[in-house]
Amino acid sequence: MGKDLERVLLTEAQIQIRLAELAASIDQDYAERDPLLVGVLKGAVVVMADLTRHLHLPVEVDWMAVSSYGSGTKSSGVVRILKDLDRDITGRDVLVVEDIIDSGLTLSWLLTNLRSRGAATVEVCTLLRKPTAAKVDVDVRYVGFDIENEFVVGYGLDYAERFRNLRDVGTLASHVYTS
Ligand code: IMP
Ligand code: MG
């Protein structure tokens, strides 16, 4: 996959250090509570795996799959539930775990959806956030890294379903888009 990347933006080590910091904050903020971490498939799988293992708190994990994108690089704004939560979240302290917030359209829709089910609290933890996310009115409690407005892959993030298994986060070489 090396020749398909333009440059490494965040190394595996940088990501792990930051996730440990976020986990320490979450441990503190959710002490004495019983948080339910909700991951958004498929991108958040890798973040969830590492974030939860940096936590000392006991947590439950559930998953949703929504589609907001095709295989391209722009948000359509249309959100569809492909897989819903397994459990009722009434009264729960829900922490949504995301890989990246770009337009924020997916997330804003998801937060409204989860709050309408009677969750006690709904907060968000994302590994990456793009500047465009500032335009939508969503309050993101935990952010790993604010990055520039460019398309990135790796560490769970895909381009046309590829590159999710890269350990680093990087930008794509232009020949990948055009071939
Ligand atoms: P939003 O609705 O525009 O915030 O898009 C959120 C979703 O789009 C993320 O969960 C990703 O699946 C995808 N996405 C946005 N930007 C990128 C990127 O740079 N690389 C890979 N996927 C991205
Ligand atoms: Mg994606």
Side-chain angles (χ1 to χ4, degrees):
M1 286 179 283
K3 64 180 183 353
D4 292 336
L5 287 189
E6 188 179 67
R7 66 175 205 286
V8 172
L9 206 67
L10 298 164
T11 65
E12 183 179 10
Q14 286 175 306
I15 295 168
Q16 293 307 323
I17 288 168
R18 187 67 186 123
L19 286 180
E21 290 170 355
L22 294 180
S25 307
I26 294 168
D27 272 335
Q28 230 172 30
D29 298 349
Y30 287 86
E32 313 299 318
R33 289 198 273 167
D34 181 24
L36 173 69
L37 272 53
V38 171
V40 183
L41 295 170
K42 307 171 198 165
V45 166
V46 184
V47 187
M48 181 73 92
D50 286 341
L51 179 73
T52 50
R53 288 179 298 170
H54 282 296
L55 289 170
H56 297 286
L57 275 181
V59 292
E60 284 175 54
V61 176
D62 204 347
W63 300 94
M64 277 181 83
V66 300
S67 88
S68 61
Y69 273 36
S71 61
T73 57
K74 282 222 189 82
S75 188
S76 65
V78 178
V79 179
R80 209 155 48 95
I81 296 184
L82 305 177
K83 185 229 168 280
D84 207 346
L85 297 172
D86 292 339
R87 302 274 180 87
D88 181 29
I89 57 167
T90 309
R92 297 299 304 266
D93 291 305
V94 174
L95 178 61
V96 175
V97 175
E98 266 280 25
D99 49 356
I100 191 165
I101 305 173
D102 181 6
S103 71
L105 288 171
T106 315
L107 185 64
S108 142
W109 177 89
L110 188 65
L111 296 182
T112 306
N113 181 285
L114 294 175
R115 289 192 176 112
S116 76
R117 304 186 197 195
T121 62
V122 182
E123 299 290 350
V124 181
C125 175
T126 186
L127 179 69
L128 305 174
R129 181 171 65 181
K130 290 187 184 179
T132 30
K135 288 184 206 149
V136 287
D137 189 26
V138 288
D139 187 25
V140 181
R141 170 86 66 99
Y142 311 95
V143 179
F145 301 92
D146 278 302
I147 64 169
E148 295 300 305
N149 194 17
E150 55 191 348
F151 198 78
V152 293
V153 294
Y155 203 77
L157 291 158
D158 72 303
Y159 173 68
E161 294 302 327
R162 289 172 60 212
F163 308 104
R164 293 192 196 276
N165 55 323
L166 282 175
R167 289 175 171 270
D168 303 328
V169 169
T171 57
L172 273 184
S174 60
H175 74 82
V176 181
Y177 292 95
T178 48
S179 62

